[in-house]
Amino acid sequence: MSRSSDLLARQQSNLAAARAVPFIEDTIGGTLSDEGFRRYLVIEEAFVLTAVKVLGLVVAESPTLDDALDHVTSMSNLVGEQREYFAQLRSRFPYAGDAAALVEESSVLSTHALTLAGEEGRAAALVGMYAAETLYLSWCREAAAVNVQREPALQDWVDMHVAPPFVSQVAVLACEVDAMPESVTDEDLDRWFSGMLAAEIDFHNVAV
């Protein structure tokens, strides 16, 4: 098995816990409330900017253009397709509360991801993103396989996270984990991966 596969095998209980939050359960089951979706749009758009910043650090610390290429592509998807998704929905699903306060309430994920990248560097940033994107690919695949009625915009979000560009993005992160040197220990991988998932739980609990 590869290092990324071994990591996923060790982290199954943490992935299951992160998948079991009410927001994900309700999205998969087609029961997410309108208010829950509106809250999620606010906090997820804020985190997408964080993901761009994290990948910016990854690119900045890439030793060659080839090492940077796939992550520049991922950044392009975030500031392209995903930015456009949120921009189109702001007027359709306005949040009536204090959006800034809501973002602050959910900031544990952004704070964790940026601290991980800033203090522990490129490898930690990549593993943190691998945890986040693996979680999303997993639960969105589960949601896509369930025949329930969802808000079409929410269905679009699910579909975006099972489409080839996103699947390729996760595969790139897995390859990065596989290529990490022995100086990056399994304990490092587990700590970075599980820490990101714990922050994902706190983040998603703000939505619902």
Side-chain angles (χ1 to χ4, degrees):
M1 293 177 68
S2 65
R3 290 198 83 183
S4 61
S5 296
D6 287 342
L7 176 60
L8 294 186
R10 294 193 304 271
Q11 292 293 324
Q12 283 305 300
S13 63
N14 289 323
L15 282 164
R19 175 253 180 257
V21 296
F23 167 76
I24 293 177
E25 291 273 13
D26 291 351
T27 300
I28 291 172
T31 60
L32 183 67
S33 67
D34 179 73
E35 176 67 7
F37 185 46
R38 290 169 189 264
R39 289 171 66 88
Y40 178 71
L41 288 173
V42 171
I43 65 175
E44 183 64 21
E45 182 175 8
F47 182 72
V48 167
L49 177 57
T50 295
V52 171
K53 293 176 180 179
V54 171
L55 288 175
L57 181 144
V58 168
V59 170
E61 294 191 0
S62 294
T64 70
L65 285 174
D66 286 343
D67 292 316
L69 176 61
D70 288 325
H71 305 298
V72 172
T73 300
S74 295
M75 289 175 67
S76 178
N77 291 337
L78 291 171
V79 300
E81 181 181 34
Q82 291 201 19
R83 184 203 60 79
E84 182 64 21
Y85 173 85
F86 291 108
Q88 290 180 353
L89 296 184
R90 288 183 204 126
S91 61
R92 288 176 53 196
F93 297 94
Y95 175 61
D98 185 337
L102 188 64
V103 169
E104 178 61 28
E105 186 181 353
S106 70
S107 64
V108 59
L109 183 59
S110 286
T111 298
H112 180 81
L114 291 169
T115 300
L116 196 64
E119 293 185 358
E120 303 205 51
R122 189 178 190 273
L126 288 167
V127 174
M129 291 304 296
Y130 184 47
E133 307 298 46
T134 296
L135 173 65
Y136 262 71
L137 178 59
S138 177
W139 77 256
C140 286
R141 277 177 167 165
E142 186 177 351
V146 177
N147 185 20
V148 297
Q149 291 295 317
R150 299 188 184 94
E151 160 58 49
L154 179 58
Q155 184 63 50
D156 288 344
W157 185 246
V158 170
D159 292 342
M160 190 185 303
H161 288 84
V162 296
F166 186 75
V167 175
S168 295
Q169 183 176 327
V170 179
V172 164
L173 293 168
C175 288
E176 287 278 13
V177 174
D178 292 341
M180 286 182 182
E182 292 184 2
S183 59
V184 176
T185 67
D186 286 349
E187 288 75 15
D188 290 329
L189 297 181
D190 287 331
R191 176 169 56 85
W192 296 333
F193 197 100
S194 63
M196 192 70 171
L197 291 180
E200 287 276 6
I201 291 172
D202 291 339
F203 171 82
H204 285 123
N205 281 337
V206 174
V208 179

